Structures are given as C-alpha cells and as structure tokens.
Amino acid sequence: MMKRQTKQAIKKTILITTVLGSLFIVLSILAIEEQQQSHNPAHLSEQVLDYRPVVEKYAAEFNVQEHVDVLLGMMMQESGGRGHDPMQSSESYCGSRGCIQDPELSIKQGVHYFANTLEEADGDIQLAVQSYNFGRGFIDYVDANSGEYTQEAAVRFSQEMYAAADNQAKFRCLREEAEKMDACYGDIYYVRDVMSYMEDISEK
C-alpha cells in the first residue's frame, strides 16, 4: 500500500513538473515575441511608398531632399497614403479641411509647409515634425519655454490648447492616454510614430 502511494505521489509530482515546465516555456516564448514586437518599427504602406517619386520631386523643389524619409513617415502617420489629401495639408493650403482633392497638390503643399516649418525651427527636425501636426505656433511655444522639442513640451502644449478651446468637441482625442491627460489637441506622439516609420525605411 505504501509503495503504491509513493508511486502515485511520484507520478503526480512528475506530471505537475511537466505542466509547469511547459507553461514556463510557453510564457517565455510569448514574452520574447512581445518584446520583439515592441521593438519592431511600424511599416510604411505600399500606398505611401508609391508616392516616393512625387515626394522626392517636391523635396528637391523646396530644398529638403535630405528629409524625404521624414516626409514619407509623416504621410504614413497622416493618412497611410490613402485618399485625395495624403499629406492632410488642406488646412495649411486653404484654412479648412478637405479642400485639396488632388494627391500631388497635397504632397506639394505638405512638403512646402514642412520646409517652411523646418526653417522656422532652425533645423530642429523633431520640432518641425511636431509643428506640422500642431501648427507653427508650437515653435513659438517651445522657444518661450523649453527651448527645444521634448515630449513633455508636446503634452503641455496640447493640454493648454485643448483647455483654451471654445469648443472642445471639435477635437478628436486620438489616443486613450492623451484623453486621460486632457491632451486632445493634435497628436502628442506624432514625432515618436513618425520616427518609428523612419526606422522601417532605414531597414529596407
């Protein structure tokens, strides 16, 4: 009787050990995959990549040809290359959304606006990229405060602009974390995501 109980106990121990060992292996694999995914750059869509020649054309015209990859990343963040206004540049062109219905005009205007923004930002690429999203008033804000682009400056600017808005309902909070911080003006993580797309480009 004692031997039988001992054998059963050994079998039970082996079974538990096997199950726990298998579970540990599965969890380790999942953790590694999650870590790899968190470090993988976002990918540009085929629609965005198809616009590279047009972006290069206007980047050369406005003397920002070294920033073609940045502009492609911005297009991906703005629209994924979809629609008639892939650079979402209507507001800088006519003061309202949706007035541009020609992708090439959208790109020309977007590159032109970026070139002017980069000049005002004294070549600070992150400041220029965020100002493309926020508007060039962000450059004045940074000059008066931190003196250079920081994530914290982007959050504070968004919060202040959102709080000062006459009608907050017109702002669509793009991210849950931004909504929690009452930072619903623009996209507070615009620079981070554009730079992530640039990592994808550099790996190609």
Side-chain angles (χ1 to χ4, degrees):
M1 181 71 175
M2 197 70 174
K3 288 183 179 179
R4 186 178 176 186
Q5 288 177 340
T6 301
K7 286 182 180 179
Q8 287 178 339
I10 291 171
K11 286 181 180 179
K12 192 173 182 180
T13 302
I14 291 172
L15 179 62
I16 292 171
T17 303
T18 302
V19 170
L20 289 175
S22 299
L23 183 61
F24 176 78
I25 291 170
V26 170
L27 290 174
S28 297
I29 291 171
L30 290 174
I32 291 170
E33 288 180 349
E34 183 178 352
Q35 186 178 24
Q36 288 175 340
Q37 289 173 359
S38 68
H39 288 85
N40 282 343
H43 296 293
L44 295 178
S45 68
E46 289 301 319
Q47 294 99 313
V48 169
L49 293 173
D50 286 344
Y51 280 125
R52 176 180 277 277
V54 185
V55 173
E56 288 175 343
K57 171 185 172 181
Y58 289 110
E61 181 176 328
F62 296 114
N63 201 30
V64 288
Q65 54 267 37
E66 68 272 31
H67 299 301
V68 167
D69 290 349
V70 177
L71 289 159
L72 290 173
M74 290 165 63
M75 183 191 293
M76 185 65 200
Q77 188 64 11
E78 290 290 340
S79 70
R82 297 180 294 272
H84 299 298
D85 186 8
M87 289 297 290
Q88 296 292 294
S89 52
S90 285
E91 286 187 84
S92 68
Y93 183 70
C94 67
S96 61
R97 295 179 183 178
C99 67
I100 292 180
Q101 294 295 310
D102 174 31
E104 183 160 350
L105 175 59
S106 171
I107 293 168
K108 180 179 181 180
Q109 173 61 22
V111 175
H112 182 235
Y113 185 80
F114 171 76
N116 288 340
T117 302
L118 184 62
E119 184 177 357
E120 288 187 31
D122 291 327
D124 183 335
I125 189 66
Q126 290 185 311
L127 179 56
V129 168
Q130 187 65 67
S131 297
Y132 187 93
N133 176 253
F134 277 164
R136 296 208 289 262
F138 182 57
I139 296 173
D140 295 332
Y141 178 86
V142 167
D143 286 344
N145 291 277
S146 60
E148 61 181 1
Y149 169 84
T150 63
Q151 180 68 69
E152 292 74 19
V155 171
R156 288 196 304 272
F157 181 80
S158 178
Q159 288 172 329
E160 291 179 22
M161 293 295 288
Y162 185 60
D166 295 332
N167 179 18
Q168 291 183 341
K170 69 181 180 180
F171 296 109
R172 193 164 48 91
C173 217
L174 299 173
R175 306 172 190 271
E176 184 179 344
E177 56 267 47
E179 187 171 8
K180 289 178 181 178
M181 293 186 284
D182 287 328
C184 295
Y185 178 88
D187 181 359
I188 58 174
Y189 295 120
Y190 191 79
V191 168
R192 181 195 68 184
D193 289 353
V194 168
M195 296 307 167
S196 178
Y197 293 123
M198 287 182 64
E199 288 178 38
D200 177 47
I201 296 169
S202 66
E203 290 187 359
K204 291 186 183 297

